[in-house]
Amino acid sequence: AQGIHNEAGWTYSDFADGLLYRHDYSTCEQYLSEGIAYCTQNDLDFWRVILLGHRAQLKFEQGHWDDAEQ
């Protein structure tokens, strides 16, 4: 079961990365919120930190620098 959870974390990260590349910020935020919650519930700290990094990049690209720093 842990392998499936790990793959889900990886998939959320890949989706977020692709959506950032396409500048689809609203969809990216949705996947990041879902992914961070999923990773938190399933103790996937590695992927949670990766998704938090994607969220920081998202906020940075949108010009929300204070939010990106947090």
Side-chain angles (χ1 to χ4, degrees):
Q2 184 63 26
I4 292 171
H5 292 301
N6 189 59
E7 293 297 322
W10 186 357
T11 302
Y12 276 116
S13 177
D14 282 350
F15 280 172
D17 191 45
L19 292 165
L20 281 169
Y21 178 78
R22 292 180 23 199
H23 305 284
D24 186 349
Y25 298 132
S26 62
T27 307
C28 185
E29 179 61 45
Q30 177 185 347
Y31 276 100
L32 287 170
S33 294
E34 290 176 17
I36 291 167
Y38 181 86
C39 290
T40 300
Q41 290 173 333
N42 292 286
D43 297 321
L44 299 172
D45 294 333
F46 175 81
W47 291 112
R48 186 180 60 79
V49 170
I50 296 294
L51 293 173
L52 290 171
H54 286 315
R55 179 174 275 163
Q57 181 181 350
L58 170 70
K59 296 299 182 183
F60 180 83
E61 289 184 15
Q62 292 177 307
H64 303 290
W65 299 301
D66 290 336
D67 292 337
E69 183 178 22
Q70 290 180 16

